[in-house]
C-alpha cells in the first residue's frame, strides 16, 4: 500500500469540514481507535499498517508500522495466493484489543476473517505484543457470502456482533463470544442484513454504529479500487435492533437495495467509501473513509470529517457529494 508523505492539503469543496491531513495520508479501508490520548489508524496493506496521531491530522508510523512482520502461516494454507490483509477492524473486547482482518484474493469468495489481539496499542508499552489467534469465520466457493470486511458492534446487552460481506449475497451478521472474540456459535447461520438486488450485487464495507437506542448500518455501494474511476459511495440505514430490519430514510429496506446516500464523490475526491465511525472521547463523531485524489493521479487518500446528526436522528456530512438531509 503506497504511503505518501504530504505537507498538508487545502480545504476542498468536496468536504469543507474534512480535517487537513499530513504525513502518512494514504490509507485504504481505514479505521481509527482512540487510546491513551492518541489515535491509532489501521488500514489495508502488508502486515496491516499502523499509524498514530495526536490530533487526527498528522500521521506517522506506530512502532514498526504494522501488526505482522510475517503473515500467519494459516493464511497461506486457508487462502492460497493471499498477500496483503484487507479492511481491518479494531475493538476492545474481553480485556484486549482485537483486530479483525480480511484474508482473500481479488474477486474470490475463498476468504477468511482473521483475528489477532494485544494487551496494549502503544508500541512503547512492555505489554505490547500482537498475538495471532487464527481464523474467526471462513467462506468457500460454495458459500453464498464472502468473509471479508469485518466490523464489530455491541448490542444493548453488551454482546459483540460481527458484520461482514462483499458482493455475493451482501452483508451478514454473526454473534461473537464476549471472552474470546470468536464465534459464539460456530454452527449458527449468518443473518442477512443488507444487499443489492441489481446484477452487480455491489455492496460491501459495512459498519454498525449504536447510538441513542438505534443501530446505524453504513455500507459502500458500487466499485472501489479503480483510482479516479472508482464509483464507491456511502449509504446508511437504521434499525431498533442490531439484527435489523434496517431501513433507509424513505423506509426502503437495505435488504431490498435501500440505503440513504451519505457521501459520494466530488470533483477532487472520487469514490469515497469503506467507512468506519470514530466516536471520540470529546463526544464528536467522525466519518472515517478513503477516497481517490484526482489532483494526485488517483492517490488513495485517508479522509476524516465530522459526522453530524439532524433533528430526526439521521447522520449527514457537508459539501459536494453529500447526501440530502
Amino acid at each position: 500500500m503506497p504511503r505518501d508523505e504530504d505537507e498538508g492539503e487545502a480545504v476542498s469543496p468536496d468536504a469543507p469540514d474534512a480535517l487537513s491531513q499530513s504525513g502518512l495520508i494514504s490509507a485504504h479501508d481505514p479505521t481509527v481507535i482512540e487510546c491513551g490520548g492518541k489515535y491509532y489508524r489501521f488500514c489495508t496493506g502488508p502486515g496491516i499498517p499502523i499509524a498514530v496521531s495526536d490530533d487526527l491530522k498528522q500521521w506517522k508510523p506506530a512502532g514498526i508500522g504494522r501488526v505482522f512482520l510475517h503473515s500467519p502461516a494459516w493464511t497461506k494454507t486457508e487462502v492460497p495466493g493471499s498477500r496483503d490483509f484487507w479492511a481491518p477492524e479494531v475493538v476492545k473486547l474481553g480485556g484486549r484489543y482485537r483486530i479483525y482482518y480480511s484474508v482473500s484474493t481479488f474477486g474470490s469468495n475463498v476468504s477468511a476473517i482473521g483475528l489477532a489481539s494485544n494487551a496494549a496499542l502503544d508500541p512503547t508499552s512492555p505489554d505490547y505484543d500482537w498475538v495471532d489467534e487464527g481464523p474467526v469465520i471462513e467462506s468457500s466457493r460454495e458459500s453464498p457470502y464472502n468473509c471479508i470486511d469485518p466490523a464489530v458492534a455491541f448490542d444493548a446487552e453488551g454482546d459483540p456482533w460481527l458484520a461482514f460481506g462483499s458482493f455475493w449475497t451482501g452483508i451478514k451478521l454473526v454473534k461473537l463470544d464476549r471472552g474470546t472474540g470468536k464465534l459464539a456459535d460456530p454452527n449458527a447461520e449468518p443473518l442477512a442484513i443488507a444487499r443489492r438486488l441489481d446484477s452487480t450485487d455491489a455492496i460491501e464495507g459495512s459498519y454498525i454504529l449504536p447510538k441513542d437506542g438505534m443501530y446505524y448500518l453504513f455500507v459502500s455501494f458500487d466499485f472501489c479500487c479503480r483510482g479516479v474511476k472508482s464509483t464507491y459511495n456511502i449509504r446508511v440505514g437504521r434499525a431498533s435492533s442490531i439484527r435489523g430490519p434496517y431501513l433507509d430514510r424513505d423506509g426502503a429496506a437495505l435488504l431490498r437495495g435501500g440505503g440513504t446516500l451519505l457521501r459520494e464523490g466530488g470533483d477532487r475526491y472520487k469514490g469515497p467509501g469503506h467507512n468506519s465511525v470514530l466516536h471520540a472521547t470529546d463526544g464528536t463523531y467522525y466519518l472515517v473513509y478513503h477516497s481517490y485524489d484526482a489532483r494526485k493521479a488517483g492517490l488513495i487518500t485517508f479522509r476524516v470529517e465530522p459526522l453530524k446528526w439532524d433533528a430526526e436522528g439521521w447522520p449527514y456530512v457537508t459539501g459536494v457529494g453529500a447526501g440530502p438531509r
Side-chain angles (χ1 to χ4, degrees):
M1 183 59 57
R3 295 184 171 196
D4 186 78
E5 294 290 343
D6 193 80
E7 294 302 322
E9 57 180 333
V11 173
S12 168
D14 288 6
D17 293 337
L19 304 186
S20 180
Q21 301 294 310
S22 62
L24 300 179
I25 67 168
S26 188
H28 206 270
D29 311 322
T31 189
V32 175
I33 184 170
E34 188 177 4
C35 177
K38 295 183 181 296
Y39 301 94
Y40 294 89
R41 186 188 72 199
F42 300 77
C43 66
T44 288
I48 312 176
I50 315 174
V52 63
S53 173
D54 293 324
D55 58 5
L56 282 176
K57 299 177 182 179
Q58 170 70 40
W59 297 91
K60 63 183 180 181
I64 63 171
R66 61 181 63 186
V67 172
F68 299 119
L69 277 177
H70 305 286
S71 298
W74 70 265
T75 64
K76 300 297 184 182
T77 57
E78 296 300 302
V79 186
S82 61
R83 298 179 63 184
D84 295 355
F85 298 139
W86 305 342
E89 161 76 317
V90 181
V91 295
K92 192 168 187 183
L93 173 61
R96 292 178 65 82
Y97 293 97
R98 300 186 186 272
I99 184 164
Y100 296 81
Y101 59 95
S102 311
V103 185
S104 191
T105 57
F106 204 80
S108 170
N109 72 329
V110 178
S111 306
I113 292 172
L115 175 63
S117 70
N118 203 327
L121 290 182
D122 182 355
T124 66
S125 168
D127 298 322
Y128 184 85
D129 181 36
W130 287 106
V131 178
D132 168 41
E133 298 195 16
V136 176
I137 187 171
E138 301 179 59
S139 54
S140 68
R141 289 184 180 88
E142 292 71 37
S143 301
Y145 47 79
N146 190 8
C147 286
I148 67 170
D149 293 0
V152 176
F154 296 85
D155 64 19
E157 287 71 45
D159 289 322
W161 294 74
L162 176 71
F164 67 92
S166 170
F167 289 74
W168 274 260
T169 57
I171 309 302
K172 310 299 182 183
L173 187 71
V174 290
K175 192 174 184 179
L176 298 176
D177 180 86
R178 290 192 192 194
T180 67
K182 296 287 189 78
L183 297 182
D185 179 0
N187 297 314
E189 188 69 20
L191 302 172
I193 57 174
R195 72 170 298 179
R196 300 288 295 278
L197 298 182
D198 61 14
S199 60
T200 67
D201 221 355
I203 182 173
E204 58 186 6
S206 62
Y207 187 87
I208 297 175
L209 173 70
K211 184 180 185 295
D212 298 334
M214 301 294 288
Y215 298 88
Y216 292 82
L217 173 60
F218 300 81
V219 294
S220 292
F221 277 13
D222 301 333
F223 299 95
C224 80
C225 313
R226 300 180 178 184
V228 296
K229 295 183 179 180
S230 299
T231 56
Y232 246 11
N233 58 97
I234 301 171
R235 306 282 177 141
V236 65
R238 68 183 183 185
S240 58
S241 167
I242 199 169
R243 300 164 61 99
Y246 289 90
L247 306 178
D248 68 15
R249 190 166 196 150
D250 297 324
L254 268 66
L255 267 173
R256 302 289 299 172
T260 298
L261 178 66
L262 179 65
R263 166 68 73 203
E264 64 180 345
D267 290 338
R268 178 174 179 181
Y269 293 102
K270 308 295 186 179
H274 205 112
N275 79 282
S276 59
V277 177
L278 169 66
H279 187 198
T281 54
D282 66 2
T284 305
Y285 289 87
Y286 292 98
L287 186 69
V288 174
Y289 60 98
H290 72 254
S291 285
Y292 304 86
D293 190 344
R295 295 185 189 173
K296 296 183 179 180
L299 177 73
I300 300 164
T301 304
F302 174 67
R303 306 286 285 160
V304 54
E305 60 182 303
L307 185 66
K308 305 171 185 179
W309 303 87
D310 69 15
E312 297 179 356
W314 284 96
Y316 69 93
V317 291
T318 57
V320 175
R325 59 185 186 277

